[in-house]
Amino acid sequence: MRPLPRHLLAHSDGRRLLVYGELRGSLDEKGPGVAGDGAEIHKRLDVFTEAWVGIAPARNTRPLDSPAESADPDGCPFCPGGIEVPFSYDAAVFDNRFPSFRPDAPPAPILDGPTGPAHGRCEVVLYTDRHDASFGELSPVELARVVAIWIDRGRELWADPAHEYVCVFENRGAEVGATIAHPHGQIYALDHVPPVTAAKSEAHRRHRRREGGCLSCAATRADDRSDRIVSANESFVVAVPFAARWPFEVTVRARRHGLGRLADLVPEEQRDLAVALRDVARRYDALFDFQLPYMMVAQEAPHDQPDWHLAFELYPLHRAPGVTKIRASVETGLGLFLNDVAPEDAARRLAGLDVPAEPIELDSLFAVTQPDAAMLS
């Protein structure tokens, strides 16, 4: 595997910037203006569901590159010369200027219900400095670099005892809330296990008690032999879930028991993950012949949960060209999803698309080298 240097810099407002690959510049001493002290961010507990809700009013002031599908890099804060990375780069990660969670979270306000400080970290992952790219259009080298960065950031964030859960994700398209068109994803590190993750973890424990085996192993085998399969390789099964909630929802799940987190990937699995995710993104773009907006969420194993296979879940909103699914009353109020596309039909349509792509070779993979010890500015 090729070494991927990581350079650690600091903006004048104290936020970290990690540049992966060649370092081609430095940060302006003046830097971006402070986005606000974030003194209002905190968590509130929904006492009926026992789920924490993040409150972050400052996010309403974040920049909008509208519409999010715009290919115009002028004014994009993520392009070279923008306020986040003022020079060209291969890939980069920086602390979000408008976080929902912070490592130095302020004390929670005293209100008429349970509150807590919003401890955590919110990072933005820039896949490339090319504004007009997308995840499915990344070159094999760019894809391999992104996966290596996910591994590097996940390893560090999971190791921090302040973090109970780490989530890599991407929102693509204005329909799913993307405010900037430049190809990027995000990583949230949280001081608590979110409710959906907790429910899935408990489902694994119940299955182990009742069946004596691993729920993720059983689900992967079932997907692999079903008519919901979209594609597969040696390391991952790509299928529409049996009880898919979203039209054309897809799960990319690891075959190997013990592969619970991104940091557990061996080189062959690292390559196969990049291939599988690129394949799904390209099938989405070919489905209705336009860049399909989607949400992509990495589901990594919580602490003390060995029966959990690394999975990426992708949720596109469209059920037809120009027609999106709206999360309506019973889905929002009750959590009872209604899907107008049968999972088997969704899988058949996705699997039938022709999406040629360049191979990703093992010798194109990266391993992040030891981070620099000194902070640069």
Side-chain angles (χ1 to χ4, degrees), residues 22 37 51 60 88 116 140 173 200 237 247 266 268 293 325 358:
E22 180 185 356
D37 60 10
N60 283 316
S88 68
K200 289 183 176 183
V237 175
V266 301
E268 291 80 7
K325 171 185 173 62
E358 298 176 74

Side-chain angles (χ1 to χ4, degrees), residues 41-56 100-101 106-109 111-119 164-165 188 190-198:
I41 70 167
H42 61 282
K43 297 181 304 187
R44 299 189 187 191
L45 186 69
D46 179 344
V47 296
F48 292 99
T49 63
E50 297 188 340
W52 286 106
V53 177
I55 307 297
S100 300
F101 304 92
L111 302 172
D112 57 352
T115 63
H119 286 298
E164 286 296 319
Y165 198 71
Y188 277 14
L190 309 173
D191 67 349
H192 65 283
V193 178
V196 171
T197 304

Side-chain angles (χ1 to χ4, degrees), residues 217-238:
C217 283
T220 303
R221 287 193 298 267
D223 287 346
D224 202 16
R225 60 174 179 257
S226 75
D227 51 1
R228 294 175 287 100
I229 193 164
V230 175
S231 65
N233 57 40
E234 291 296 319
S235 307
F236 291 88
V237 175
V238 182

